[in-house]
Amino acid sequence: MQAPLLSPATRVLVFGSGLAGHEANAVGVAGALVPGYATLRVAPRSLFAAAAPWGLADPSDFARVPEVDIAIACGRITVPYLRTIKRRSGGRTFTVFLQDPRAWRGSFDLIWVPEHDKLRGANVMTTAVSPHAVSPGILAYARDNPDPRLASLPTPRVAMILGGDSGAHRFEPKDIATLAEIAGEIAASGAGLMVTPSRRTPQALIAAIRAAVGGADNVFVWDGSGENPYRAMLALAQSIIVTGDSANMCGEACATGVPVHIYEPSGGSPKFTRFIDGLVAHGAARRWAGQLESWSYPPLDATGDIAAEVARRYRARRP
């Protein structure tokens, strides 16, 4: 496992927004800084939540916040809390916001945004993908200690990571049919196929994939029982197919160093297009073109890069 970047005595706090994607961004960075960070999920009353990010932190909720050396936040409703902890500490708490806070941008010591975001500034850093908790150490451990549900699958192994409907994307019948056809062709090739849905994945898509692969013994489709072997799939795959509705899923796939094929469901947005264009430009991913392709690239470790920059700037401020 990677060594932490700061002394274990460094007090690091993550403000949780309650959204899994936001919290995955923040805890990944915190875990790279110190092994014993704390997490506090904010719970502002409705008036304060509605006023975020421009309003104030809920005083009764903020009373739970301890004094810390570094505070990390992601998500609209956490912005007032990060600003308040900075002010309460007299500027001593080093504050990090992941994504564009929209408000009080000059109040924070470091802001991270993905490269496809247009925000820039002296306190802003960018990376191609989002930070996450799929660290090189976690992937190495999963390879050395393979999940028994996947270890018997033949090689090459292909991971199929499925998202679902979102604000920008829709999984229409043509998308479901195409993804099921892809799964069926991989299963028929004799490769080991590992499929995991997310909470947003349409049941019709899961059913279509199960029908396409039949009862093939070279296929594993997670049915929701037991722990999701998502990280184990990333670690054991020689190729990955991921749906392009989630920046986090695409970014985590690109942490592996194996070919990442992005299938874009219906819909989309200019921001997502720029994001995928960036992954393609970095050589980590390619848009699905009808078949598995082979190439190599250095794994994209945004989490490590962001944590290293936090540690560098934090140390520079310390006596």
Side-chain angles (χ1 to χ4, degrees):
M1 301 294 282
Q2 289 180 306
L5 295 172
L6 296 174
S7 161
T10 309
R11 300 168 299 174
V12 177
L13 174 68
V14 170
F15 284 116
S17 69
L19 296 177
H22 292 161
E23 294 180 5
N25 290 166
V27 300
V29 174
L33 290 170
V34 294
Y37 64 89
T39 302
L40 190 151
R41 185 167 289 172
V42 304
R45 288 169 288 181
S46 57
L47 180 64
F48 292 94
W54 296 276
L56 302 174
D58 186 336
S60 63
D61 191 39
F62 191 83
R64 302 182 294 137
V65 177
E67 293 186 3
V68 295
D69 301 306
I70 299 174
I72 305 172
C74 184
R76 176 182 63 84
I77 65 170
T78 67
V79 172
Y81 289 78
L82 197 65
R83 179 169 176 259
T84 301
I85 199 172
K86 181 75 171 180
R87 189 173 63 247
R88 186 186 71 176
S89 71
R92 290 185 299 276
T93 298
F94 189 91
T95 50
V96 182
F97 195 83
L98 306 175
Q99 302 286 354
D100 185 352
R102 306 293 179 185
W104 319 113
R105 291 167 173 150
S107 301
F108 307 129
D109 296 291
L110 182 64
I111 296 170
W112 165 85
V113 295
E115 287 177 358
H116 60 269
D117 196 298
K118 297 181 179 179
L119 179 65
R120 298 293 185 270
N123 66 335
V124 176
M125 74 169 293
T126 67
T127 59
V129 298
S130 303
H132 49 71
V134 182
S135 68
I138 285 174
L139 291 172
Y141 180 85
R143 292 185 187 109
D144 293 339
N145 301 272
D147 189 304
R149 293 171 292 180
L150 308 175
S152 62
L153 293 176
T155 56
R157 299 189 185 101
V158 181
M160 201 166 186
I161 312 300
L162 305 175
D165 293 348
S166 65
H169 294 90
R170 302 176 307 280
F171 281 67
E172 295 185 348
K174 65 177 182 179
D175 300 307
I176 291 173
T178 299
L179 287 164
E181 182 181 7
I182 293 169
E185 290 176 353
I186 293 172
S189 76
L193 177 62
M194 308 174 290
V195 182
T196 182
S198 71
R199 287 174 292 183
R200 296 182 291 109
T201 303
Q203 289 300 312
L205 174 55
I206 301 172
I209 287 177
R210 288 190 181 279
V213 301
D217 57 8
N218 60 322
V219 177
F220 174 86
V221 181
W222 186 54
D223 61 4
S225 62
E227 183 179 356
N228 187 346
Y230 167 66
R231 292 178 181 175
M233 290 183 182
L234 294 180
L236 296 176
Q238 280 79 50
S239 292
I240 297 172
I241 300 171
V242 59
T243 58
D245 53 282
S246 166
N248 277 350
M249 291 195 318
C250 292
E252 288 168 354
C254 292
T256 62
V258 305
V260 175
H261 306 75
I262 299 177
Y263 175 84
E264 295 178 272
S266 298
S269 70
K271 189 172 183 177
F272 257 93
T273 298
R274 291 196 304 270
F275 167 67
I276 295 174
D277 287 345
L279 297 184
V280 173
H282 276 274
R286 297 178 185 176
R287 288 178 168 86
W288 176 254
Q291 63 182 3
L292 293 174
E293 302 176 58
S294 180
W295 72 93
S296 62
Y297 61 93
L300 300 185
D301 183 18
T303 306
D305 293 341
I306 297 166
E309 184 64 11
V310 172
R312 185 188 71 79
R313 295 192 185 213
Y314 174 72
R315 290 194 191 99
R317 282 188 33 189
R318 304 290 289 178

